[in-house]
Amino acid sequence: MAQAAPYRSVLYMPGSKLRALEKAQTLPADALILDLEDAVAPSEKTSARDLVCTPQRVQSYGLRKVLIRINGLDTEWGKDDLIAAGRAAPDGILVPKVNRALDVQAVASALAEVPERTRIWAMMETPLSMLNVQEIAQSHPRLEGFVLGTNDLIKELGAQFTPDRAPVLTSLSMCLLAARASGLICLDGVYNAFKDDVGLRAECFQGRALGFDGKTLIHPAQLDITNEVFAPSAEDVALARTQIEAFEAATAAGDGVAVVNGRIVENLHVETARNTLAKADAIAKLAAG
């Protein structure tokens, strides 16, 4: 799926910390999640909302995509968060603990007067959300993506953290399948040990191999590795160009397939190659901006 913007690295920023919000303006994250939920103490919920939910704040991050994660609508802060976030007009509003299609539809109804550019994103972090993932993916045209909440999911499953993530691989795959079937972006969950570069790199490689568009992060120190792993390499870009050129030459000669490095190149490979180049171009544009 070609995207207009990259989502390799998506960094959570605590909405109550002005210094952190300002620092994010200089960080090489593809996207930011300005968090009003888990990263904010109950006593700071209202002040964090006032700090985050302004058009000036949302527009201060240049070409980076900006999502605001609200508190759940079943909490005392959720409804006011949603109203304020809608007025701020971010790129997306991230809704925690989406369990069914009705959860997305309720948010979409509340945003009916908000311009369509502000999309809905769903946190997928409960057993019920996994069982209802297909109906959630198809719940509303305004839904743009899934964010995996693996910490909450592991807690609710009563599972354990393992390096291979075997306890949640079924859930990760179910979300990816539903996202791809509905044309949604799908972001991997966080890696908690932010000083463990080896472990982070391994989990990023796993996430990319599974098909995730990028990874959510809890610390700026995780950005470089994540951006590297989820970006097309120079070799990937060179191969993509070669495949496209070879296929176009083969088509011009009346052939339906080409051969590059001893491997068949068909339409499906060319589509992947074009997506690779589009992603590389989007990353270059973001870096230049």
Side-chain angles (χ1 to χ4, degrees):
M1 178 181 64
Q3 297 168 199
Y7 284 90
R8 298 169 299 166
S9 56
V10 183
L11 181 64
Y12 285 100
M13 301 302 297
S16 58
K17 307 296 184 184
L18 177 59
R19 185 175 178 181
L21 294 174
E22 291 177 341
K23 180 180 180 180
Q25 296 171 359
T26 65
L27 295 175
D30 287 351
L32 301 166
I33 297 174
L34 309 185
D35 192 14
L36 302 179
E37 195 206 16
D38 287 347
V40 178
S43 62
E44 298 181 308
K45 295 287 189 184
T46 301
S47 59
R49 180 194 305 138
D50 293 340
L51 189 58
V52 165
C53 294
T54 69
Q56 293 80 8
R57 172 66 59 201
V58 168
Q59 294 165 12
S60 68
Y61 298 106
L63 296 178
R64 299 172 188 83
K65 293 294 184 179
V66 177
L67 312 182
I68 296 176
R69 180 164 73 167
I70 64 173
N71 287 279
L73 296 182
D74 59 345
T75 70
E76 60 184 284
W77 310 285
K79 183 177 179 181
D80 288 338
D81 284 354
L82 180 56
I83 293 170
R87 289 173 180 163
D91 296 292
I93 295 175
L94 179 57
V95 184
K97 292 182 173 57
V98 171
N99 287 321
R100 52 184 62 85
L102 287 174
D103 296 337
V104 177
Q105 292 160 2
V107 172
S109 178
L111 296 176
E113 302 302 318
V114 175
E116 286 288 331
R117 69 169 298 277
T118 296
R119 308 297 296 278
I120 297 171
W121 287 66
M123 287 292 304
M124 305 297 287
E125 52 189 341
T126 71
L128 190 56
S129 67
M130 301 306 154
L131 294 174
N132 292 330
V133 63
Q134 184 175 2
E135 72 168 52
I136 293 170
Q138 299 173 347
S139 59
H140 198 276
R142 199 161 189 163
L143 182 68
E144 184 170 41
F146 287 157
V147 175
L148 272 291
T150 43
N151 284 336
D152 280 88
L153 180 60
I154 287 173
K155 176 180 72 70
E156 294 209 16
L157 289 173
Q160 296 181 344
F161 290 91
T162 63
D164 61 3
R165 296 201 288 179
V168 294
L169 279 179
T170 296
S171 298
L172 300 182
S173 296
M174 289 173 67
C175 286
L176 280 161
L177 285 167
R180 293 297 175 254
S182 297
L184 304 180
I185 300 165
C186 199
L187 301 178
D188 199 359
V190 301
Y191 186 72
N192 297 309
F194 65 88
K195 294 184 178 181
D196 177 12
D197 289 351
V198 174
L200 172 64
R201 185 177 293 275
E203 193 162 291
C204 286
F205 273 118
Q206 182 195 43
R208 183 178 180 186
L210 286 170
F212 283 105
D213 295 294
K215 191 166 184 65
T216 48
L217 308 174
I218 60 171
H219 196 280
Q222 299 176 313
L223 286 167
D224 288 345
I225 289 173
T226 306
N227 282 339
E228 175 193 341
V229 174
F230 279 95
S233 66
E235 292 77 11
D236 294 333
V237 171
L239 177 60
R241 291 195 175 113
T242 300
Q243 288 175 326
I244 293 169
E245 292 169 0
F247 186 79
E248 289 177 346
T251 300
D255 297 324
V257 298
V259 177
V260 174
N261 298 332
R263 294 179 179 271
I264 293 293
V265 177
E266 302 177 276
N267 271 322
L268 64 94
H269 303 108
V270 173
E271 182 178 354
T272 299
R274 293 191 192 284
N275 288 342
T276 296
L277 296 185
K279 186 171 186 177
D281 288 345
I283 291 168
K285 180 180 178 181
L286 182 61

